[in-house]
Every structure is written in C-alpha cells, then in structure tokens.
Amino acid sequence: MSTVMICWGMGEGYGHANKIACVTGGLEATGLHVVIAARDRRLMEGVARRRGLACEVVQAPVLPATRSPDVATVFYSDLLLSRGYSDPDRLVEAIAGWRALFEQHAPDVIAFEYAPTAILAARGVDTPRLGFGTGFYYPPAPLPRLIPEHMTGSGVAHDAGYDTALESVNQALHASGLTPVDGLEAVFDPGPVFITGAPEVDHFGHIRRDGRYTGPVSENLSPGSALEWPQGKGPRIAGYLKAGAPGIERVLLRLNRVRARFVLHLSPKKGERPEALARRLPRSTNVQITLRPFDIDAMARQASCFVCHAGNGATIASLMAG
C-alpha cells in the first residue's frame, strides 16, 4: 500500500486539522495509507477520530517562538524569525526531526499543508512533493508584504529581517548537509501547489500569476452538529472565536447589551483545559457559548451574521452560506 505523509508544522487551530482531515479522507477512499505529522497531535487525533479516519498521526517537530507576540509582523521574514528561525541550532534540530520522520515512514509522496521547515528538510529527498492550503502558506516571489505599506507608515518600508532569516536558514542547511538556498522564497516553495480556495479569497490572488485553485476544501468543524438558538428576539449571530485572542473577555461581557441572539463556539487557548475556560465565561440569556465545535455550514445558513477571526476556512464557509 502506498503511503502519503502530510506535514503540518506551523499555525494553530481547527482550520489546519480539518483541511488535512478532509484531504486524508479522500486519499483513504482511494486505498492510500496516510501518515500525518501534526504540529498539534492531540487536536489532529481528535478531528481524525470524529471523522472516522484510519490514518496514523505522529508529532511533528515544533520550533519554539523566539520573539514577543507584540513585535509587528510586517514581512514574511518577521514571521519566520518569530517562529524560531532566528536560532540556527534549533532549526538544525527541527530539520533533523523532519528527516527522521521521512526516513522512518518512507512515504511515496510528501504533502505539505503549512510546514516551511519540512519543505527545507525535504530538500535532497528523492520523493515527489506538493503543497496544499491557503494562499498565505505559499506566497508568490518576490515575497510580498503581510501588511500594506499605507498601514505601517514609511518607517517600515524595508524588509530588515530578510537577510537575517536567510542567513539563519543557510547556516542550518549547511550544518544539515543540505544545499543552501538563494532566497527565503525557497522556504515556501514545495513544488506544485494547490490552493484550497478561489482567487477572490487568496491573500495574494491579485498578484499571483499561476495559482492552481481547487475551490474550497470543507473545513467544517463538526458536520451535522447544529445547535438551538437562545430564546428571544433580534437577529441570530453565529461565530467561531478563540479564547486566546486579546480582549475576548471584554467582547463577551458586552454581548448581553446587544439586541441579538448569539451561538458562539469558543476554542480554548493553547494549554488551557476546556473546563477551566468554562468557569471564567460570562453568563447571559441571549448568548450561548459552546466549547464543542458545531456545524459551521448549518449555523451560518441560519444566521444573519457570522463572526470570526478571519480564518480562511470559517470565512469561506460563512460566505458560501450566504
């Protein structure tokens, strides 16, 4: 039986896990064996179990954050430097971890969802490779800004971290016995890329010249699990929010002043147990907060508005629901 390894090394949340699970289901239906190297193994295992998948889930090498989250992320170099790429030694360890997984599982195909370090580690590996996911994971060359210049001011016009990040990458590649790269663009270039969306919701659809768009891949949190709306009057508002977002408590406390009915899924911040989160949530008759994922498609179709942190999957699901 042929094996496909799916690599998820950066980013958090249901969007990654559900997209991977959807792709895995399609691969398994054709008789392929799937190994998922997941950044969040526990989350991925839970999603795979709910969907009845037979895949194997293993822990992916994870680089620790090395910069304060308060530092502005304007360029892709800022993103990489804040996610461990400022430390070549740690990067060497992560590359070694990925290569050990490739050797152990001997996949016939390596697929990357959002895994720049795995892309680096796969250099020199004689295995077909491809990438899939949102356009953000695979920016066109030269690397575009993440925040437009008019939103940052002229003082942030130069990508000051580019050379620093590139030097760190090449130091790590050299130490790993791999060929250095000419630019940071290689970190996001796995080979053929399939963007799970459409140009209109691609972060760089306006400048990408050769995008292969698959259309939306279902990232529904829990298909078939719709919830009852609170009693009362006013429009119905559904949402998927993250408990670790700044100011989320203040937002939730003010919802009881809004003349509307809310059903919100709130995902715990990393390291927080759901029961601990439940104890600190405000109570309100017009707001139903659930810690269990619900059927985004069904709830969005019933709602007048959908509120989220602009994650690609939830955004597309709400738009398609009208």
Side-chain angles (χ1 to χ4, degrees), residues 1 29 32 51 68 73 93 97 104 106 116 143 154 171 174 188 190 200 235 241 254 260 275 285-286 290 308 310:
M1 179 185 295
L32 295 171
R51 290 180 177 266
S68 166
T73 302
E93 293 175 2
Q104 177 185 353
L143 293 180
S154 57
Q171 284 183 26
H174 178 74
F188 304 98
E200 293 82 359
L241 302 175
R254 284 167 172 74
E275 54 268 24
T285 57
N286 69 321
T290 174
C308 65

Side-chain angles (χ1 to χ4, degrees), residues 1-4 27-28 30-35 54-55 105-109:
M1 179 185 295
S2 297
T3 297
V4 177
L27 294 173
E28 289 185 350
T30 67
L32 295 171
H33 173 58
V34 180
V35 177
C55 59
H105 295 281
D108 298 282
V109 175

Side-chain angles (χ1 to χ4, degrees), residues 80-297:
L80 292 174
L81 290 171
S82 70
R83 300 297 190 274
Y85 276 62
S86 60
D87 187 338
D89 293 334
R90 291 287 184 88
L91 191 51
V92 168
E93 293 175 2
I95 289 173
W98 280 111
R99 290 184 72 87
L101 288 176
F102 299 153
E103 183 176 349
Q104 177 185 353
H105 295 281
D108 298 282
V109 175
I110 302 174
F112 307 93
E113 195 261 349
Y114 187 20
T117 313
I119 292 174
L120 288 177
R123 293 173 63 80
V125 175
D126 189 21
T127 303
R129 302 185 293 277
L130 60 90
F132 69 93
T134 73
F136 181 82
Y137 310 158
Y138 307 103
L143 293 180
R145 295 171 63 103
L146 299 179
I147 301 178
E149 188 170 355
H150 72 271
M151 296 176 65
T152 60
S154 57
V156 198
H158 176 61
D159 187 355
Y162 186 97
D163 290 339
T164 301
L166 179 58
E167 181 180 1
S168 181
V169 165
N170 280 333
Q171 284 183 26
L173 288 173
H174 178 74
S176 303
L178 301 174
T179 305
V181 296
D182 295 328
L184 278 184
E185 288 78 2
V187 179
F188 304 98
D189 183 12
V193 168
F194 300 90
I195 300 173
T196 53
E200 293 82 359
V201 288
D202 176 5
H203 301 72
F204 306 111
H206 60 298
I207 57 174
R208 195 185 303 277
R209 297 178 181 176
D210 56 352
R212 298 182 180 91
Y213 295 96
T214 66
V217 171
S218 174
E219 298 178 54
N220 204 353
L221 300 187
S222 185
S225 176
L227 301 174
E228 295 294 329
W229 294 90
Q231 296 296 314
K233 298 181 179 180
R236 295 182 293 194
I237 299 176
Y240 163 36
L241 302 175
K242 299 181 180 180
I248 190 69
E249 287 88 354
R250 294 196 301 273
V251 171
L252 296 176
L253 283 170
R254 284 167 172 74
L255 293 184
N256 60 359
R257 306 177 191 175
V258 180
R259 198 175 172 83
R261 293 172 288 161
F262 296 87
V263 171
L264 305 174
H265 167 56
L266 194 65
S267 63
K269 58 186 177 183
K270 195 170 181 63
E272 182 177 32
R273 299 190 66 82
E275 54 268 24
L277 172 59
R279 285 194 293 269
R280 63 185 180 89
L281 290 178
R283 307 293 179 184
S284 175
T285 57
N286 69 321
V287 181
Q288 179 181 350
I289 297 176
T290 174
L291 305 185
R292 291 182 176 275
F294 56 60
D295 189 328
I296 286 185
D297 295 341

